[in-house]
Amino acid sequence: MTILQTRPEALRPSGGTLIEQFEYGLDAPICLTWELTYACNLACAHCLSSSGRRDPRELSTEQCKAVIDELQRMQVFYVNIGGGEPTIRPDFWELLGYAVDHQVGVKFSTNGVRITPERARWLASTDYVDVQVSLDGATAEVNDYVRGPGSYDTALRALANLQDAGFADAKISVVCTRQNIGQLDEFKAIADRYGATLRLTRLRPSGRGADVWDELHPLPEQQRELYDWLMANGESVLTGDSFFHLSAFGESLPGLNLCGAGRVVCLIDPIGDVYACPFAIHEEFLAGNVLADGGFGQVWQRSALFTELRSPQTGGACSSCAFFDSCRGGCMAAKFFTGLPLDGPDPECVQGYGEAALADDRSIPAASQDHSRRMPTRNEPVMLTLQRREDAVVAAATPPVSACAENPLAGFVAPLEGITS
Ligand code: SF4
Ligand code: SF4
């Protein structure tokens, strides 16, 4: 959906609460995620962007700098950079420096593969840069089950390097799963040990996450355990507002408690496509492209999709729920990728309506893209292929679909030391 149209400023209320203002959208996103590449040295089972192979159309260094220039003009004060693994772009550090020099702060997510002692010292010397290391298990067994062998050690080594370099307050980002909900205290202890802050996020059935959601998403009793833990520990833990559906247990969790897709949140993907949310990489939520549609500002402020998302929404089947004001029907992406109506309950509705909806006939939308290294991977048991030697033998015997399928870094011009694929 790339049609541009005039923004209905008249719809935006001149008064009201901050959240009411946010629902009608802002001139610039509060939470802009920019995935710089689909290339990744890992193959996490639940990767929201189905990353693995670089897309040959990814934005060039100069195109990325033009985007940063525009973010500066729009007064976007910081951007979340991710991927894929962004640090394996040869120009990653150059782009990071360029953003900082242009008053665009950066928080980047990494599996830690490139956070060497030298890089950690450089990061510690910069302002406006935050580092978020992904860790999905407080033990190697739990983490490596979804993120792949060795990834736990890589993440902890990166955290140690950051701490040794004097980098203050790195973030440890955890996707909450059925396997790690019982480790919340251990995650907090790891964060404390490295002088870091714990950040918990919700598993969404997006990207490869759709293939493993049934196995990984927390059980109803674990949702309650998570809610109770957040109520007790929430002040020292970040959540990115991702658990507002849990507010239907009672007291609201801190945060906006609102689906910000296209209102305060959006994603720029590696080829410049702009989606309503990082968890909604699908043509249904494609608002435009920074190259084809007049720049990011035009897409953010005038695309038909974002205009529609900012228009008054009905609560649909949820509107009669006593908890609608805090839960708002939950996450749009979670509903879409489980084939549930967008105006109905969240698949993890804590009042139980999601389970009932999931039991009805539904059609799960096909992925509109997949950058996994060995194609196709959707609907395969990705986790089981990560560690089994016999699968590696089968994979080795399967001809690659393309050079990119064989090497996730194909097309990058500079040699990439220290990366195994
Ligand atoms: S779609 Fe879900 S993840 Fe995206 S902004 Fe809305 S609630 Fe958050
Ligand atoms: S019925 Fe809808 S509003 Fe109520 S708790 Fe469930 S998802 Fe939230």
Side-chain angles (χ1 to χ4, degrees), residues 202 204 206 240-244 258-266 276-280 285 327 330-335 346:
R202 182 179 175 189
R204 277 85 167 192
S206 315
D241 212 18
S242 65
F243 297 110
F244 65 89
L258 135 114
C259 171
R263 296 159 161 163
V264 295
V265 172
C266 77
C277 162
F279 296 95
F285 304 108
C327 169
C331 171
M332 177 185 80
K335 289 185 265 198
D346 188 287

Side-chain angles (χ1 to χ4, degrees), residues 218-284:
L219 297 167
E221 59 271 25
Q222 292 180 314
Q223 304 270 11
R224 179 79 215 196
E225 184 181 344
L226 173 60
Y227 173 78
D228 290 342
W229 193 90
L230 287 171
M231 292 304 285
N233 299 275
E235 282 185 8
S236 57
V237 173
L238 305 173
T239 63
D241 212 18
S242 65
F243 297 110
F244 65 89
H245 66 299
L246 299 182
S247 294
F249 276 125
E251 192 179 332
S252 292
L253 293 164
L256 291 178
N257 290 319
L258 135 114
C259 171
R263 296 159 161 163
V264 295
V265 172
C266 77
L267 167 79
I268 303 176
D269 90 341
I271 63 170
D273 279 344
V274 181
Y275 293 91
C277 162
F279 296 95
I281 302 178
H282 190 279
E283 58 204 14
E284 282 283 320

Side-chain angles (χ1 to χ4, degrees), residues 248 318 321 323-324 327-330 345-346 349-351 353:
C318 285
C321 172
F323 299 98
F324 181 69
C327 169
R328 305 294 185 106
D346 188 287
C349 162
V350 301
Q351 296 297 314
Y353 297 111

